[in-house]
Amino acid sequence: MSPNGSDRSPRRPMRRKLLQAMTAGLVLATATGCTYKDFPRLGMPTPVTEEAPRILSLWQGSWAAALATGVLVWGLILWSAFFHRRSRTKVEIPPQTRYNMPIEALYTVVPIIIVSVLFYFTARDESKLLSLDKKPDVTVNVVGFQWSWCFNYIEKVDGSHGNAKTDPNLAAIPDRYKKDFPADAGGVYTCGTPGERNPDTKNPGPTLWLPKGKTVRFVLTSRDVIHSFWVVPFLMKQDVIPGHTNSFQVTPNHEGTFLGKCAELCGVDHSRMLFNVKVVSPERYQQHLKDLAKNGQTGYVPAGIEQTSPEKNRESNVL
């Protein structure tokens, strides 16, 4: 009986709160829009390129390692809380242990091993994903600007005359990328506005067309500030930096129209920097380039800010 004469145990409200908290956690974990088929991807969208499964695997492995570490830490915390709580004998100060070298070595060495393993797999996959050893089938110069995107298709297209390797509008692109440009590539382009919409999906932003099954190299340049080129189901994004050119390659293996966006806070209308990526057959892709040429969208739009001096120095050392 409690001191006030009631039979109600003071522990019951705490147990009731704990049960309510567990119920709320279960609801939050199960009342999402994900199905059991989505769970193995741990929040990632379905990959649509040959390279994306590598990123997904790294993501899943990182989560598995984090979960295993969390379970171990939570287990030790709960074990300490339950089995080393104040004794019923009410001993005020239990026996103290000032030093324990094996334990101290353990909690120093184990984190180093965990970080080293994560670093190894991250560095291995990053090196593979950013490799440009394979000559691309298609090259697209992605130009970011406030507040939309332009896409220069570095292609030899009927009705378009010029040379991408010497075109002054592409002067911001380093020579190490231009060496892989097709010969006499007059090129075509498309430029978007924030208010533009894809005619098929009605999603906002310009549409970048890509051929299925072809290796595509993105050469990323900016006209003003730092942006970030992110095609969501590619599971890959990279910064678009003024005066510094970035590049990566993917091979789309699923047809469809996918969402893209700027993933770097670039100013007041950052949220409007959306675009679409439409993956089609190689035949439809070539036809699209011809349609752009017929519409007068030949040549190239300015790629962006000229390389900075450090970038030029790096370029000369690479070559």
Side-chain angles (χ1 to χ4, degrees), residues 67-254:
L67 182 59
T69 304
V71 168
L72 175 62
V73 173
W74 297 329
L76 291 174
I77 292 173
L78 292 175
W79 179 75
S80 299
F82 282 103
F83 294 98
H84 291 277
R85 63 188 185 277
R86 185 176 179 181
S87 172
R88 292 182 180 179
T89 59
K90 298 183 179 179
V91 175
E92 294 297 331
I93 302 178
Q96 303 296 298
T97 301
R98 299 188 62 183
Y99 301 103
N100 190 312
M101 290 303 296
I103 291 180
E104 292 180 14
L106 180 68
Y107 65 60
T108 301
V109 173
V110 169
I112 292 176
I113 294 175
I114 293 173
V115 172
S116 299
V117 171
L118 290 174
F119 176 82
Y120 166 76
F121 284 107
T122 301
R124 182 199 66 179
D125 290 345
E126 181 182 16
S127 176
K128 187 68 176 179
L129 291 166
L130 296 181
S131 173
L132 302 178
D133 293 339
K134 183 180 179 181
K135 189 171 182 178
D137 301 310
V138 173
T139 301
V140 179
N141 170 216
V142 177
V143 183
F145 63 94
Q146 296 171 318
W147 309 99
S148 194
W149 304 87
C150 287
F151 306 113
N152 284 322
Y153 296 91
I154 315 295
E155 294 272 359
K156 187 174 182 180
V157 184
D158 292 341
S160 178
H161 306 284
N163 189 340
K165 296 182 180 182
T166 59
D167 193 300
N169 284 332
L170 303 181
I173 299 176
D175 291 338
R176 67 178 181 276
Y177 299 123
K178 290 182 178 178
K179 66 182 178 62
D180 290 331
F181 286 180
D184 301 322
V188 290
Y189 70 89
T190 183
C191 255
T193 62
E196 184 178 346
R197 289 188 175 272
N198 181 277
D200 299 326
T201 63
K202 306 305 178 184
N203 292 326
T207 300
L208 168 65
W209 287 56
L210 299 176
K212 177 184 175 182
K214 300 293 184 180
T215 300
V216 180
R217 177 177 296 179
F218 296 112
V219 180
L220 311 176
T221 56
S222 171
R223 292 182 187 172
D224 35 52
V225 300
I226 298 178
H227 303 282
S228 186
F229 180 70
W230 180 24
V231 184
V232 179
F234 284 10
L235 311 188
M236 177 78 176
K237 60 182 177 181
Q238 196 169 43
D239 282 350
V240 185
I241 304 174
H244 175 94
T245 304
N246 281 329
S247 184
F248 69 95
Q249 296 183 174
V250 298
T251 305
N253 55 14
H254 285 74

Side-chain angles (χ1 to χ4, degrees), residues 6-19:
S6 173
D7 292 334
R8 185 178 180 182
S9 171
R11 294 185 178 181
R12 289 182 180 177
M14 182 61 69
R15 291 177 179 175
R16 187 178 296 112
K17 291 180 179 178
L18 179 61
L19 180 60

Side-chain angles (χ1 to χ4, degrees), residues 174 176-177 243-247 307-319:
R176 67 178 181 276
Y177 299 123
H244 175 94
T245 304
N246 281 329
S247 184
Q307 295 181 82
T308 60
S309 295
E311 178 69 0
K312 289 180 179 178
N313 293 335
R314 186 172 74 92
E315 174 73 7
S316 61
N317 291 332
V318 169
L319 294 177

Side-chain angles (χ1 to χ4, degrees), residues 251-266:
T251 305
N253 55 14
H254 285 74
E255 292 190 15
T257 302
F258 311 106
L259 294 176
K261 59 183 70 178
C262 176
E264 182 77 28
L265 182 58
C266 56

